[in-house]
């Protein structure tokens, strides 16, 4: 681990983003937890349902901003 997030996509150049090692919450914390669950067998903190609901809220928020109207959930 070098303190960076490396994104590799087959249709684009690789990208790297330096991560603040003191930031253990939010999306970074969820990503680190998922990585550790896959690589090290640690338990996953968030459930699939929580992740789905978070994604749904974000996508509806983007839809609302794009359409300039309130979207009820």
């Amino acid at each position: 681990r070098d303190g960076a997030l490396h994104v590799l996509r087959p249709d684009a150049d690789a990208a790297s983003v330096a991560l603040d090692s003191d930031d253990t919450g939010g999306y970074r914390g969820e990503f680190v937890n998922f990585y550790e669950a896959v690589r090290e067998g640690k338990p996953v903190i968030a459930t699939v349902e929580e992740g789905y609901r978070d994604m749904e809220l974000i996508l509806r928020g983007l839809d609302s901003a794009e359409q300039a109207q309130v979207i009820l959930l």
Side-chain angles (χ1 to χ4, degrees):
R1 296 184 188 175
D2 61 2
L5 172 64
H6 304 282
V7 179
L8 305 174
R9 295 181 296 170
D11 61 341
D13 293 332
S16 296
V17 177
L19 300 174
D20 180 357
S21 62
D22 294 333
D23 180 13
T24 58
Y27 295 116
R28 181 184 187 281
E30 288 181 20
F31 178 79
V32 169
N33 173 246
F34 179 75
Y35 173 85
E36 291 174 345
V38 171
R39 299 290 293 194
E40 302 169 13
K42 292 185 177 180
V44 177
I45 296 171
T47 66
V48 172
E49 291 81 12
E50 290 170 326
Y52 180 83
R53 181 68 178 158
D54 289 346
M55 181 183 68
E56 184 179 38
L57 288 170
I58 291 167
L59 293 175
R60 294 300 77 80
L62 292 171
D63 290 344
S64 176
E66 186 176 275
Q67 298 170 22
Q69 65 182 27
V70 174
I71 296 178
L72 301 176
L73 299 175

